[in-house]
């Protein structure tokens, strides 16, 4: 018996704090549906000619955010025109032009899905669960505060919320398709 994969009739944009799974869930959604997927962070790093892991470290943040916002707008324009999956993350959600583009995507039938996970899971996924020197200050506390701010913004802009704490990317993609 052959299983027919669902197809996307409109775009899905994934937003979420670092470590929530936007990239991996977007890849799984693309594989499940055959839709094209775009990862904002990877495209920005490529445009800046640096690896994604080092992009926010090696490039001044204002420059990174400038390229990130312009790239996000281009991806959202494309997603409004034709179905696909976009891993947007949360860094660009402070840009009101990006927020307006998300509204336009919705008006065209697209969906914005916020991915979340427990603070412990996000800390682990971001490598903040290891012991740190007290000289660095309370890195975990700063991270948690930033997470709460970003998660609140993601939830405010989303049509649905999917918790990825205890799911694989494929399982989370299935939940996104069902939401």
């Amino acid at each position: 018996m052959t299983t027919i994969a669902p197809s996307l009739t409109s775009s899905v944009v994934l937003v979420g704090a670092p470590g929530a799974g936007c990239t991996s869930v977007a890849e799984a959604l693309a594989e499940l549906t055959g839709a094209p997927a775009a990862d904002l962070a990877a495209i920005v790093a490529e445009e800046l000619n640096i690896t994604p892991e080092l992009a926010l470290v090696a490039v001044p943040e204002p420059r990174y955010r400038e390229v990130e916002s312009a790239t996000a707008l281009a991806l959202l324009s494309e997603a409004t025109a034709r179905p696909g999956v976009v891993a947007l993350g949360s860094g660009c959600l402070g840009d009101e032009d990006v927020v307006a583009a998300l509204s336009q995507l919705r008006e065209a039938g697209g969906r914005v899905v916020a991915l979340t996970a427990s603070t412990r899971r996000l800390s682990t996924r971001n490598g903040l669960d290891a012991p740190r020197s007290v000289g660095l200050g309370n890195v975990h506390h700063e991270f948690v505060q930033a997470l709460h701010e970003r998660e609140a913004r993601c939830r405010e802009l989303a049509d649905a919320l999917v918790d990825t704490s205890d799911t694989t990317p494929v399982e989370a993609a299935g939940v996104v398709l069902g939401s």
Side-chain angles (χ1 to χ4, degrees), residues 14 36 41 53 57 78 106 134 140 145 168 174:
L14 301 173
E53 300 79 26
V57 177
E78 177 75 17
R106 271 201 195 95
V134 293
H140 189 266
Q145 283 190 298
T168 66

Side-chain angles (χ1 to χ4, degrees), residues 40-110:
L40 176 63
I43 295 168
V44 169
E46 185 177 310
E47 288 184 27
L48 293 170
N49 199 29
I50 195 149
T51 64
E53 300 79 26
L54 295 177
L56 275 169
V57 177
V59 176
E61 187 168 1
R63 173 70 179 138
Y64 182 90
R65 296 298 177 203
E66 174 188 317
V67 173
E68 180 186 49
S69 289
T71 304
L73 290 170
L75 290 175
L76 292 171
S77 176
E78 177 75 17
T80 300
R82 66 189 54 73
V85 181
V86 179
L88 205 61
S90 61
C92 63
L93 298 180
D95 183 317
E96 290 308 314
D97 290 336
V98 171
V99 172
L102 285 171
S103 290
Q104 291 172 349
L105 175 110
R106 271 201 195 95
E107 290 170 11

Side-chain angles (χ1 to χ4, degrees), residues 105-128:
L105 175 110
R106 271 201 195 95
E107 290 170 11
R111 290 187 310 132
V112 178
V113 178
L115 301 182
T116 189
S118 68
T119 301
R120 177 178 292 252
R121 185 72 72 200
L122 292 171
S123 293
T124 299
R125 291 175 183 170
N126 282 282
L128 295 177

